[in-house]
Amino acid sequence: MTDIDPNTAEAPVKLATVRENIAAAEQEARRPAGTVTLVAVSKTFEADAVRPVLAAGQRVFGENRVQEALGKWPALREDFPGIELHLIGPLQSNKAKEAVALFDVIETVDRDKIAAELAREMKKQGRTPKLYVQVNIGSEPQKAGIEPKETVAFVARCRGEYGLAIEGLMCIPPVDENPGPHFALLEKLAKEAGVEKLSMGMSGDYETAVAFGATSVRVGSAIFGHR
């Protein structure tokens, strides 16, 4: 008999808890129920670990790497209809073709080269994944993302020069800082840039993100456990 990974067995229970916490945070922030989308981050987990979460009704997932996602999601999509797949990791220009073909939402548009490559591929494939600009909200040298002060101009450039319909901003605050001010800044930048979607908040701070206006939260370890 094959041993069952305890993380896999517990994932649907943890998923239910996260959903309850999001609902409570929406209520506390006086936001309408169901306004925050849960993106279950399945990066580094095999298809067998994802299936119980799919079976529990979750349909929106996030992946960091194009190649890893290509290895597991085509088969999962055959078994489970209605999946929405988000790319939440850095995108290399040589992976733009595969990213446009596979993902429904690309959250990590962060430089002109990527914007141009995505525009080219989307036109070629006739496919229009939703696009978010990633903001390096804490101006950390080791992190991807456009600088906060350059965000509004970059969104305008994506729209004007490349014809991209940017609809949201995404950020990952510094791990050792209070995320609240960073979430507040992202919300301010979104208003200035004229975008409506805010992808912010992870396993440790998603309830705070809901209070600051997140429209989607990216939760991995609180559902799947730690690798």
Side-chain angles (χ1 to χ4, degrees), residues 59-136:
R59 287 295 180 272
V60 186
F61 289 84
E63 289 284 341
N64 257 38
R65 298 178 185 275
V66 175
Q67 284 304 119
E68 181 189 340
L70 278 168
K72 65 188 176 191
W73 283 102
L76 288 171
R77 276 181 155 150
E78 287 183 10
D79 295 339
F80 297 91
I83 288 169
E84 181 178 284
L85 200 55
H86 292 229
L87 178 63
I88 59 172
L91 177 59
Q92 297 172 319
S93 56
N94 65 351
K95 298 293 184 187
K97 179 179 178 180
E98 291 93 337
V100 169
L102 180 65
F103 289 94
D104 304 292
V105 183
I106 296 173
E107 298 198 11
T108 50
V109 183
D110 65 352
R111 58 197 186 280
D112 284 84
K113 185 177 182 181
I114 288 296
E117 202 62 43
L118 286 172
R120 193 175 300 120
E121 279 301 328
M122 288 164 69
K123 184 176 181 181
K124 189 185 296 183
Q125 296 184 33
R127 198 165 189 276
T128 53
K130 296 172 183 175
L131 302 175
Y132 291 28
V133 164
Q134 181 174 355
V135 181
N136 185 354

Side-chain angles (χ1 to χ4, degrees), residues 17-194:
T17 300
V18 170
R19 285 174 169 168
E20 289 168 6
N21 291 344
I22 290 171
E26 286 174 334
Q27 187 173 17
E28 189 170 333
R30 297 183 179 179
R31 299 180 61 187
T35 54
V36 179
T37 298
L38 169 60
V39 180
V41 179
S42 48
K43 64 176 185 176
T44 76
F45 287 92
E46 303 290 341
D48 285 348
V50 180
R51 285 180 182 276
V53 177
L54 281 159
Q58 179 65 23
R59 287 295 180 272
V60 186
F61 289 84
E63 289 284 341
N64 257 38
R65 298 178 185 275
V66 175
Q67 284 304 119
E68 181 189 340
L70 278 168
K72 65 188 176 191
W73 283 102
L76 288 171
R77 276 181 155 150
E78 287 183 10
D79 295 339
F80 297 91
I83 288 169
E84 181 178 284
L85 200 55
H86 292 229
L87 178 63
I88 59 172
L91 177 59
Q92 297 172 319
S93 56
N94 65 351
K95 298 293 184 187
K97 179 179 178 180
E98 291 93 337
V100 169
L102 180 65
F103 289 94
D104 304 292
V105 183
I106 296 173
E107 298 198 11
T108 50
V109 183
D110 65 352
R111 58 197 186 280
D112 284 84
K113 185 177 182 181
I114 288 296
E117 202 62 43
L118 286 172
R120 193 175 300 120
E121 279 301 328
M122 288 164 69
K123 184 176 181 181
K124 189 185 296 183
Q125 296 184 33
R127 198 165 189 276
T128 53
K130 296 172 183 175
L131 302 175
Y132 291 28
V133 164
Q134 181 174 355
V135 181
N136 185 354
I137 204 71
S139 298
E140 297 173 275
Q142 79 279 15
K143 278 187 182 169
I146 199 87
E147 283 292 311
K149 66 179 181 293
E150 298 169 12
T151 299
V152 175
F154 180 64
V155 170
R157 205 156 63 243
C158 285
R159 289 169 168 162
E161 289 187 26
Y162 306 113
L164 298 177
I166 302 295
E167 69 168 49
L169 302 181
M170 179 267 236
C171 76
I172 306 169
V175 293
D176 55 349
E177 295 182 18
N178 175 6
H182 296 290
F183 294 153
L185 176 57
L186 197 74
E187 184 183 32
K188 177 176 177 286
L189 291 171
K191 286 178 180 175
E192 292 175 2

Side-chain angles (χ1 to χ4, degrees), residues 192-211:
E192 292 175 2
V195 301
E196 294 184 353
K197 303 290 187 180
L198 287 170
S199 173
M200 57 189 195
M202 299 188 292
S203 287
D205 56 18
Y206 64 90
E207 291 158 293
T208 302
V210 172

